[in-house]
Each structure stands twice: as C-alpha cells, then as structure tokens.
Amino acid sequence: MFSTARKKARAALLEEAKRQMYRKQVVFAEDNRPVSSVKALYSELNKELFEGLLPAIEVKMNGRLQRTLGKAFYVVQSGGKFKPVRIEIKKSHKWSARFLRKVMTHEMCHVWAYHFHNEKGHGPKFWSKMKMLGYPKTHCWDDALPCEKDVWS
C-alpha cells in the first residue's frame, strides 16, 4: 500500500510526464503584449482567436475571488440553453501579461463552449478549443514564474 506522500509524488511524476508529452506535440501560446484592461483584452482576443463571434458580455476584475483566477458565468434560458453573461478575473494576483492572456483565453473558451455547444465545465469541446489556441491541458511554460502557475496544478 502506498503512503500519502508516495501517492502525491507519483501523481506529480505522472503530471510532469504529461507536460513533457504535450511539449513535444503542441506549440504553447506565449504572448507578452501589454494589457490595458480586461475589457480591452476580451475584445482583442475575441477578434484574434474567436473571429469576433463571442457575445458582448460584462468583463471585470473581482477582488473577492479566492479559489480561482477567473470565472465565466452563464444563465440557463428556456429550453436549457446556456447564455454567457460575464467573466470575472481575480484582482489580487501578480499578473504577467502572458498569464493574464492565458487565464482570459481559458474563460473565453468557457464562453465559447456555453454559447456554441451548450457545454459547461471542462468538457471535450472546451479542451479541444484550448488546445487549438495553444493551451492544452497541463500547459506550463518551461520558464514559468511562481505567479504563472495554475492554482489547480
């Protein structure tokens, strides 16, 4: 029987193996252009990555987000259709330009999945879009700063 420490070590080793596999298969996105505001970033990425097809929604910083770096919200319309309504980004985080773009892209992929595929959470449509945009599951830059690590890693 494995001890808790050995289980954690084994899980970390498997996670690193996955990261190495993705590094060989996918070109990771890295965009260090400065960001003026999260609203402007949403508009910019919508044009560049989503062909301007995402709906106009509220995008704001939130000083109360604790457990996540960003969150995409939706409401359920009649017939069970998801309608994206806003994105909130954690205000109290040391953001680098490339990491803020990654987190915003992540939340925008949720908006895309809600809007076009009626999919919530981290489903297959969501992850296929993330991978297509250069951010596959377990994405991490080789030179990532501590503030550029995903909170669930």
Side-chain angles (χ1 to χ4, degrees):
M1 178 168 224
F2 289 114
S3 69
T4 302
R6 287 182 67 195
K7 285 180 185 176
K8 286 182 180 180
R10 184 176 188 277
L13 184 66
L14 289 172
E15 191 68 22
E16 183 55 32
K18 286 181 193 175
R19 289 179 199 275
Q20 289 174 7
M21 178 185 71
Y22 277 120
R23 282 187 191 110
K24 293 176 183 167
Q25 295 176 352
V26 178
V27 176
F28 291 154
E30 182 167 355
D31 187 346
N32 284 308
R33 290 178 289 167
V35 175
S36 59
S37 74
V38 291
K39 290 178 187 179
L41 181 58
Y42 179 88
S43 179
E44 176 187 315
L45 293 176
N46 189 12
K47 290 175 191 162
E48 291 177 6
L49 304 178
F50 298 90
E51 300 173 0
L53 298 174
L54 294 184
I57 60 173
E58 180 183 14
V59 180
K60 64 182 184 177
M61 300 297 278
N62 181 341
R64 294 174 298 173
L65 283 180
Q66 296 292 317
R67 297 181 182 182
T68 62
L69 296 172
K71 186 159 177 71
F73 294 86
Y74 65 90
V75 295
V76 181
Q77 296 179 311
S78 61
K81 178 83 172 123
F82 299 143
K83 178 185 177 191
V85 292
R86 78 178 176 280
I87 290 176
E88 295 181 359
I89 302 294
K90 186 174 186 168
K91 189 175 189 176
S92 60
H93 186 78
K94 184 180 176 186
W95 292 105
S96 66
R98 73 181 181 177
F99 193 59
L100 180 55
R101 286 177 181 281
K102 176 187 174 182
V103 171
M104 180 62 80
T105 300
H106 180 106
E107 300 312 324
M108 292 174 77
C109 284
H110 282 299
V111 169
W112 175 84
Y114 300 153
H115 188 70
F116 292 106
H117 300 285
N118 214 44
E119 177 185 85
K120 62 182 177 178
H122 297 105
K125 297 286 187 188
F126 168 84
W127 279 116
S128 69
K129 188 68 168 177
M130 283 288 288
K131 185 176 180 180
M132 186 183 91
L133 297 176
Y135 301 111
K137 208 180 240 188
T138 75
H139 169 274
C140 188
W141 295 288
D142 289 332
D143 63 344
L145 302 170
C147 64
E148 294 178 324
K149 304 276 173 114
D150 292 322
V151 294
W152 57 83
S153 294

